[in-house]
Amino acid sequence: MTDTWKKQTVLFLTGQSISLFGSMLVQYAILWHITLETRSGVMMTLSIVCGFLPTFFISPFAGIWADRYDRKKLIIAADALIAAVTLGVALLFVFGYEAFWLLFLIMALRSFGAGVQTPAVNAFLPQIVPADRLLRINGINGSIQSLIALVSPVASGALMSAVTLGKIFLIDVATAGIAIFILLIFLKVPAHKKAAQASQTGYWQDLREGFRYIGGHGFVKRSFIHCAIYFILISPLAFLTPLQVARSFGGDVWRLTMIEVTFSVGMTAGGLLIASWGGFSNRLHTIAVSSLVTAVCTFALGWPISFALYSVLMGILGLAMMAFQTPFTVLLQEKVDEDHMGRVFGVLGMLSSSLMPLAMLGFGPLADRIPIERLLIVTGLLLGIQGILMLADPFLIEAGLSHRKTEEK
């Protein structure tokens, strides 16, 4: 049995990692192309809206699908959709039809596929990994993803200097094909119990039941409120720092690559740290302290500093964000019932995919009127206040000590 779950986990993570590598090559290529060609906060905001809004609309339904149907098949279907869309746009670019609206289109359709895939992946892992190994596996998975994020900007920068954007798209199609092949041929995992049963309820009833479950589950409800605030406040940090670097230090590709590399190094280190150490005995302490570190670094990026120090701070931010994300994901996987797992992660995806681009509707145009540094200082201060409020919430602290799946009122 031990060897079985380990083999299944290795196969699953291998397929997802290969697919992720191709996706990140395209992601960086599109982001940098728009950044360097326009240097516009409005254009960056448009790209962000296209990259997130479809996820918002599909996430709650994708969560229902992840609870109703075979999650492995959903992951394969999402990868196939993304690959097909990317192939179509790649062929247009290869034959010389290049336009910004095509980049926005591909970002929107890839966002739709990611919205289907993400809740299925998060709900699938507890299906194959023993509960007492979830933190370690999520930490290792986070480190793998961060290592890919470390290599991807370097590879994408090199590819942008050597080949056209359309050919980079084709690489993503190939990696998605490999991932689908691995999942179809080698990963043998039976569907979860609910997927084997005929559904007796409609989509809207399932959706209402999912929101009822979240509203009645003390930890999920309160933590989602904090997550919503967190997503809004980190939006300038997540999306405007490349623009800040281009404006303050110069539009060299190597500088954009450097901040992505240092951030990814930090995330890799953070994943390995959580996998080996496990964080504080109370997981909410790990989450809140990570949020405070993020606040301090965000605040510091708003002051006149050298590019070397800027890069170091990005590395610390990567470590802190991984130390926030991993224990939070594991707490949800531990506390949420399997029948509601997909819908809970679907709503979480809906929050992240809606609040961040909505926040950028304000932050993006502001970045063309006031220095980005001021936005980082203000959001850094607010993130610090939020971290303190999390540490002062006795309910969340109590929930962080419990690793049982309970519906706390």
Side-chain angles (χ1 to χ4, degrees):
M1 180 66 182
T2 300
D3 291 339
T4 300
W5 81 260
K6 287 182 178 179
K7 180 181 178 182
Q8 291 173 341
T9 303
V10 169
L11 285 169
F12 180 66
L13 295 184
T14 297
Q16 292 304 291
S17 298
I18 291 171
S19 178
L20 178 65
F21 177 66
S23 294
M24 293 195 76
L25 284 180
V26 170
Q27 175 183 318
Y28 283 117
I30 293 175
L31 175 64
W32 291 348
H33 182 78
I34 294 172
T35 300
L36 297 176
E37 290 295 320
T38 68
R39 300 197 184 187
S40 165
V42 172
M43 291 294 283
M44 291 294 293
T45 301
L46 284 173
S47 67
I48 291 163
V49 169
C50 289
F52 280 84
L53 205 56
T55 298
F56 164 73
F57 286 115
I58 198 61
S59 285
F61 297 101
I64 294 172
W65 297 337
D67 287 336
R68 279 191 178 191
Y69 306 123
D70 189 331
R71 290 161 184 162
K72 188 184 83 168
K73 292 180 180 178
L74 275 177
I75 295 167
I76 291 171
D79 258 339
L81 170 66
I82 293 171
V85 169
T86 305
L87 176 61
V89 176
L91 293 175
L92 289 174
F93 268 71
V94 168
F95 287 107
Y97 187 77
E98 302 180 10
F100 274 110
W101 73 266
L102 274 177
L103 296 180
F104 295 144
L105 175 64
I106 192 174
M107 292 179 76
L109 293 174
R110 287 167 64 88
S111 171
F112 180 90
V116 174
Q117 188 176 48
T118 300
V121 168
N122 285 323
F124 186 72
L125 264 179
Q127 196 176 320
I128 60 175
V129 177
D132 61 339
R133 304 297 181 90
L134 274 173
L135 183 65
R136 180 176 176 81
I137 294 301
N138 274 281
I140 292 172
N141 186 35
S143 290
I144 293 171
Q145 292 179 356
S146 301
L147 188 60
I148 292 170
L150 172 63
V151 174
S152 298
V154 178
S156 187
L159 285 168
M160 286 183 72
S161 302
V163 299
T164 63
L165 196 58
K167 291 180 180 178
I168 297 177
F169 291 165
L170 290 175
I171 295 173
D172 185 30
V173 176
T175 56
I178 295 171
I180 291 171
F181 179 78
I182 291 174
L183 293 178
L184 275 176
I185 304 302
F186 297 108
L187 190 66
K188 306 298 182 183
V189 178
H192 57 288
K193 292 180 181 178
K194 192 173 180 180
Q197 303 169 356
S199 177
Q200 302 297 317
T201 58
Y203 278 103
W204 293 109
Q205 184 176 341
D206 273 359
L207 188 59
R208 286 194 298 270
E209 167 61 19
F211 281 109
R212 186 207 64 78
Y213 179 85
I214 291 170
H217 194 299
F219 169 73
V220 177
K221 179 173 66 177
R222 291 191 183 211
S223 63
F224 273 25
I225 291 171
H226 278 284
C227 272
I229 298 170
Y230 180 82
F231 289 142
I232 292 170
L233 295 179
I234 66 167
S235 296
L237 175 67
F239 298 120
L240 293 177
T241 45
L243 190 58
Q244 182 191 17
V245 168
R247 289 177 178 178
S248 302
F249 301 106
D252 305 301
V253 172
W254 74 266
R255 292 186 189 275
L256 298 177
T257 302
M258 178 60 70
I259 63 170
E260 296 295 343
V261 166
T262 54
F263 183 81
S264 299
V265 168
M267 290 197 75
T268 303
L272 292 174
L273 177 66
I274 293 298
S276 58
W277 168 45
F280 298 112
S281 57
N282 188 316
R283 289 183 182 162
L284 248 298
H285 287 161
T286 308
I287 293 168
V289 170
S290 300
S291 183
L292 288 172
V293 173
T294 301
V296 171
C297 292
T298 302
F299 181 82
L301 289 178
W303 296 91
I305 55 177
S306 67
F307 182 70
L309 180 56
Y310 191 102
S311 300
V312 170
L313 289 172
M314 291 299 290
I316 298 172
L317 279 165
L319 189 151
M321 287 189 176
M322 181 60 72
F324 179 102
Q325 172 187 321
T326 304
F328 178 67
T329 300
V330 172
L331 272 176
L332 287 179
Q333 290 171 337
E334 290 174 338
K335 287 179 164 293
V336 175
D337 293 336
E338 184 183 47
D339 286 350
H340 295 87
M341 189 87 68
R343 277 167 286 182
V344 168
F345 278 108
V347 171
L348 180 61
M350 185 177 68
L351 287 176
S352 65
S353 61
S354 62
L355 293 176
M356 293 180 78
L358 283 175
M360 282 302 296
L361 289 176
F363 288 128
L366 273 178
D368 287 338
R369 293 177 176 271
I370 64 174
I372 294 173
E373 287 77 8
R374 292 185 189 176
L375 297 177
L376 294 174
I377 289 173
V378 172
T379 53
L381 287 171
L382 294 175
L383 278 167
I385 294 171
Q386 185 198 15
I388 293 171
L389 290 175
M390 291 179 71
L391 286 172
D393 188 329
F395 185 93
L396 287 180
I397 296 302
E398 176 64 25
L401 287 170
S402 174
H403 299 163
R404 300 185 304 273
K405 293 187 179 182
T406 58
E407 288 195 40
E408 298 145 321
K409 301 289 183 182

